[in-house]
Amino acid sequence: MALIVQKFGGTSVADLDRIANVARKVKKEIDQGHQVAVVVSAMAGVTDQLVSLVRQISPLGTPAAVEEYDAVVSSGEQVTSGLLALTLNEMGIPARSWFGWQIPLMSDDAHSKARIHDVKTEGILASLKAGNVAVVAGFQGVDSKGRVSTLGRGGSDTSAVALAAALGAERCDIYTDVDGVYTADPRVVTKARKLRKVAYEEILEMASQGAKVLQTRSVEMAMNHAVRVQVLSSFSDVEGTLLVDEEEVVERRKVTGIAYSRDEARITLTSVANIPGVSAAIFGPLADAGINVDMIVQNVTEGGKETDVTFTVPRGDLDRAVAAVEKSKTKIKYKTMHSDKGVAKVSVIGVGMRSHVGIAQEMFKTLSDKNINILVISTSEIKISVLIAEEYTELALRALHTAYGLDG
């Protein structure tokens, strides 16, 4: 008998019929003799409704207001957990709901973006051993003051992996509206193939570079605690994709997958003085404003006295980023600033890059053959990302998918 953690997202529990479908998937594991803990998200659209209600009342300008924000938006998962527990009991399967504070799942005090630091398992383990299914409200914990905290968007994935790690579960199954991890977004690249196994590092890069399969923090936690995670569909019974250690990926492909993000904006500062401390003067105010900077490139002039600096920020933060830089203009001493929202980031990812040469050259040649200009380049050990004009995103994805032999 194994202990399995199952997680179901908002589309999987969108209405009572889908909750009944989830209950049947839980029953399937129970019938095989397994113990099951289920983590659920709010029903599709509910969290957005709750956030909207809160923001109509308050701009969340104080710590107390953010605490009440968490109290309100966490209620969506609590409703779902109660409904699923009711459904299971009506099917003759003993089950009870658990809220984050009841487990308890302990978090820090950073409300609306809290991080888990401990999961108490005594009560939930006793309930599982007594034959009950544990139905856990995801996305939430409790802080040091006993207040409900939320883990940020996609936090139910993190809840599930944290629970699986704490319980010593054999596997954590993440049920979504897709049936696994693909070599590229199948909605854009029709020849994309589903992967049977993916290394943690690869899926972490895919998630951070725009692939919306799993929340980045949940992948980090799975990798750090060696939790075997399977991504599969709530709406079919086909085998999903397993996240494993790199050593378990037998076939080391040159490139495992291609990700993209349209949530990009570019800022270029011209004729910046090329002196020590100028980078801190540029990026310090952005950090103080809570703006994440991704790709950075610097071009020093021939004389070496000036440089042009280009960097990217999330598209929704562009106006704030421009304002933060303009506020520090006298310190940075740039000549002009240009900004552009019409860009996209395309990334090729794979642990095979460590043992194959020519990956970057293949990427640059493929884009050149399609007359796609590269604006910015960034790399890591298993990833190469380029910034291009947004209008060429789909063409670039399909061309690269073919060039690296990923077509199904």
Side-chain angles (χ1 to χ4, degrees), residues 38 45 78 86 119-120 210 234 272 292 357 406:
V38 188
Q78 295 173 10
L86 276 171
V119 181
K120 307 294 185 182
S234 299
V272 179
N292 183 49
V357 298
L406 298 176

Side-chain angles (χ1 to χ4, degrees), residues 78-347:
Q78 295 173 10
V79 169
T80 311
S81 62
L83 291 173
L84 179 56
L86 276 171
T87 304
L88 288 166
N89 279 302
E90 289 298 312
M91 293 171 59
I93 300 172
R96 65 150 289 186
S97 60
W98 294 80
F99 301 163
W101 63 267
Q102 292 175 316
I103 296 174
L105 191 152
M106 306 300 301
S107 79
D108 59 24
D109 298 343
H111 284 267
S112 80
K113 52 185 176 182
R115 301 186 76 88
I116 299 167
H117 61 73
D118 192 21
V119 181
K120 307 294 185 182
T121 59
E122 292 83 359
I124 202 166
L125 278 173
S127 183
L128 287 166
K129 289 177 181 177
N132 297 301
V133 173
V135 185
V136 178
F139 175 63
Q140 62 185 254
V142 59
D143 70 10
S144 61
K145 298 177 292 185
R147 295 283 283 170
V148 172
S149 58
T150 63
L151 309 179
R153 279 306 178 98
S156 291
D157 286 351
T158 305
S159 299
V161 174
L163 187 64
L167 294 175
E170 180 170 304
R171 194 179 67 247
C172 180
D173 290 341
I174 306 288
Y175 286 88
T176 71
D177 53 2
V178 297
D179 60 359
V181 178
Y182 280 74
T183 51
D185 187 340
R187 295 168 299 182
V188 177
V189 182
T190 56
K191 295 181 180 179
R193 294 182 292 108
K194 187 168 70 175
L195 298 163
R196 192 172 66 87
K197 288 184 178 180
V198 181
Y200 293 119
E201 288 180 86
E202 292 175 323
I203 195 67
L204 186 60
E205 287 283 12
M206 288 181 186
S208 64
Q209 300 307 316
K212 296 176 173 60
V213 179
L214 290 173
Q215 189 207 42
T216 305
R217 280 166 56 190
S218 68
V219 180
E220 290 175 343
M221 186 171 292
M223 182 167 61
N224 292 337
H225 295 277
V227 177
R228 293 174 70 84
V229 175
Q230 182 178 204
V231 179
L232 64 172
S233 173
S234 299
F235 309 112
S236 67
D237 293 320
V238 299
E239 184 179 354
T241 299
L242 198 62
L243 276 59
V244 296
D245 285 323
E246 182 181 334
E247 290 73 19
E248 289 191 51
V249 181
V250 178
E251 182 188 356
R252 298 294 176 87
R253 302 165 287 263
K254 288 194 299 184
V255 169
T256 297
I258 302 174
Y260 72 100
S261 171
R262 299 182 191 271
D263 182 29
E264 307 291 331
R266 175 179 58 152
I267 295 175
T268 298
L269 305 179
T270 66
S271 301
V272 179
N274 187 26
I275 57 176
V278 71
S279 294
I282 296 171
F283 299 113
L286 295 171
D288 293 341
I291 298 170
N292 183 49
V293 175
D294 184 14
M295 309 173 82
I296 303 173
V297 64
Q298 183 173 334
N299 299 312
V300 180
T301 60
E302 186 175 348
K305 293 184 178 181
E306 293 183 336
T307 180
D308 294 342
V309 180
T310 297
F311 56 93
T312 62
V313 297
R315 189 172 293 181
D317 290 336
L318 178 60
D319 292 341
R320 291 198 304 121
V322 168
V325 173
E326 285 180 340
K327 192 175 181 180
S328 301
K329 183 173 183 178
T330 56
K331 189 174 182 180
I332 302 170
K333 298 178 181 176
Y334 61 87
K335 184 176 181 181
T336 61
M337 175 167 52
H338 307 283
S339 62
D340 180 12
K341 289 185 177 181
V343 294
K345 179 173 63 175
V346 175
S347 306

Side-chain angles (χ1 to χ4, degrees), residues 254-255 258 348 358-359 361-367 369-370 395-407:
K254 288 194 299 184
V255 169
I258 302 174
V348 297
I359 307 297
Q361 186 273 339
E362 183 78 42
M363 184 181 200
F364 303 154
K365 182 179 183 302
T366 300
L367 295 177
D369 290 345
K370 297 296 182 180
L395 175 62
L397 288 170
R398 293 171 184 146
L400 291 169
H401 198 270
T402 300
Y404 288 113
L406 298 176
D407 289 353

